[in-house]
Amino acid sequence: MKKIILCIISICLIVNNPCVVEGKTNINHDKYSETMKQDILCLMMAYPENITAVINETGGNVYIVMSSGKKILYDDKMKKNPEQKFQNTDLQDMMEEIYPLETTRKLMEKDKNPGRNRVYEILDEVYGRGRNAIEHNLKNTNLVYRKLQFNGNNKASASLQETFKEITAMVGKSGNIYSSVFPLNGTYNYRLISGTNKFSPHAYGIAIDLNRDRRDYWKWASREEGQKRLDVYPKEVVDIFQKNNFVWGGKWGHFDTLHFEYRPEIIMKAKYFGNANTNRRNWYEGVPTNDQQVKNCVDKINKVLE
Ligand SMILES: [Zn+2]
């Protein structure tokens, strides 16, 4: 009888013993930690003048520290549906969905919107908080056929200018390119995203709307109409914008096909960590560590998040 009771106790202990599931927990934890480091590295590479440090506080709360001293939390650890992630975005939510750099011909599913979640604390720090500060940072940007206001900070204006230089060089090669881009529908506009209380990226001077088509916005058009517009959208225009660190609203389920937005962190994550490489020798394999600035970021992260 004693033996049987001991046996039952042993079985109970094994079943309840956290060691039994430790292997699985570790795998998930490693994946989480690897992704966190990659996300933070992409942010540091994308905003090199604005992010000065990473800190790991007791209790496992990781923050990036901005040059103003402001700390921004990586993960609020709240369970959110896609709409809640859009409404209440932390850094992890912003970086989570991988933006597809390849040509996508099929409209994204409604809840897939890579690059549409924004952490406003970063935008405030980098591009200006409030109308006066933002307008102070705007630069008259030469878009070949005309000049428009775009934010001069963090190379946003310079990247848009380069984009238009490259697009103009392509214009003669296909009529479709010119008519997809021109006439432009505007850059800076201090306004909210319609139907929300969130500032539009146009309010920071980091987004541009190209030539408008009535099928370009998820609120104006059905998904079928949106798909038809994607079918004929010139791939060259999208590729040039992406190469210069802009994401395209045509790759969102909440499609916004005329809209391009300067989001270097999203493009960097796609570029360096977009493929499902499960055989990385280390978490940062793929980034150009021969660049001393990048190497310094990797070292900072390794020091704080080991
Ligand atoms: Zn727009």
Side-chain angles (χ1 to χ4, degrees):
M1 188 61 188
K2 225 176 174 182
K3 255 188 173 171
I4 293 172
I5 290 171
L6 269 176
C7 198
I8 290 171
I9 290 172
S10 307
I11 288 169
C12 288
L13 277 174
I14 288 168
V15 169
N16 288 318
N17 190 337
C19 292
V20 175
V21 291
E22 200 181 65
K24 194 169 178 251
T25 313
N26 275 350
I27 288 165
N28 290 339
H29 177 75
D30 287 352
K31 179 78 201 127
Y32 175 87
S33 152
E34 179 177 297
T35 305
M36 174 165 66
K37 289 180 204 169
Q38 292 168 344
D39 287 351
I40 290 175
L41 178 60
C42 290
L43 285 161
M44 292 175 98
M45 291 190 292
Y47 302 101
E49 286 166 27
N50 305 94
I51 301 175
T52 56
V54 184
I55 49 175
N56 189 0
E57 288 192 347
T58 37
N61 286 334
V62 172
Y63 298 82
I64 56 169
V65 184
M66 308 304 286
S67 47
S68 69
K70 188 179 177 59
K71 297 189 315 186
I72 302 176
L73 181 64
Y74 173 71
D75 184 2
D76 60 18
K77 314 252 167 80
M78 276 163 33
K79 235 184 143 60
K80 297 179 231 177
N81 63 32
E83 181 55 25
Q84 288 164 331
K85 285 181 186 180
F86 174 72
Q87 291 295 342
N88 184 20
T89 308
D90 62 18
L91 296 173
Q92 191 259 335
D93 301 326
M94 179 168 80
M95 303 300 288
E96 190 175 24
E97 284 182 87
I98 304 278
Y99 177 90
L101 288 174
E102 67 278 9
T103 305
T104 47
R105 284 295 173 205
K106 198 170 169 291
L107 196 61
M108 279 279 183
E109 287 164 47
K110 195 150 196 297
D111 283 334
K112 294 232 178 330
N113 299 285
R116 186 169 172 261
N117 290 342
R118 308 169 186 97
V119 170
Y120 286 86
E121 289 164 301
I122 289 195
L123 300 183
D124 285 347
E125 288 270 335
V126 177
Y127 301 110
R129 181 178 290 107
R131 187 171 208 148
N132 286 345
I134 292 167
E135 290 186 354
H136 178 78
N137 293 330
L138 294 179
K139 228 178 133 178
N140 215 12
T141 305
N142 182 2
L143 305 181
V144 186
Y145 298 103
R146 65 187 288 199
K147 286 188 173 176
L148 285 175
Q149 304 272 75
F150 217 66
N151 205 298
N153 289 3
N154 200 39
K155 297 189 184 147
S157 165
S159 301
L160 186 67
Q161 193 165 313
E162 175 60 27
T163 302
F164 271 75
K165 217 170 100 190
E166 292 180 31
I167 285 179
T168 319
M170 295 290 292
V171 155
K173 295 176 185 154
S174 157
N176 193 16
I177 293 180
Y178 186 89
S179 60
S180 299
V181 177
F182 301 101
L184 300 173
N185 264 289
T187 49
Y188 172 67
N189 185 353
Y190 197 74
R191 63 169 171 85
L192 300 176
I193 299 169
S194 83
T196 75
N197 61 357
K198 303 255 159 233
F199 273 109
S200 159
H202 289 279
Y204 291 90
I206 57 163
I208 182 165
D209 290 338
L210 307 186
N211 192 9
R212 180 182 299 254
D213 183 288
R214 59 169 190 83
R215 301 165 297 179
D216 275 349
Y217 194 54
W218 65 281
K219 280 189 177 173
W220 310 334
S222 67
R223 285 182 60 84
E224 289 70 27
E225 288 171 316
Q227 177 64 60
K228 281 192 180 140
R229 168 78 160 142
L230 279 200
D231 290 343
V232 295
Y233 208 86
K235 163 188 182 308
E236 296 87 341
V237 171
V238 179
D239 288 347
I240 292 170
F241 268 102
Q242 287 177 177
K243 191 180 140 215
N244 288 290
N245 286 332
F246 286 77
V247 297
W248 178 37
K251 289 184 177 175
W252 298 341
H254 288 67
F255 55 96
D256 192 354
T257 313
L258 76 171
H259 175 93
F260 287 86
E261 179 174 336
Y262 184 68
R263 297 291 298 285
E265 76 280 26
I266 302 293
I267 297 293
M268 285 186 189
K269 178 143 186 202
K271 197 157 116 188
Y272 298 126
F273 304 116
N275 60 348
N277 180 359
T278 48
N279 295 318
R280 281 200 173 84
R281 277 167 299 169
N282 50 54
W283 65 268
Y284 55 89
E285 189 179 309
V287 298
T289 42
N290 51 348
D291 177 331
Q292 193 53 45
Q293 229 180 351
V294 173
K295 178 77 172 49
N296 291 347
C297 295
V298 169
D299 290 345
K300 260 186 199 176
I301 293 169
N302 272 337
K303 210 167 148 196
V304 175
L305 297 179
E306 258 332 295

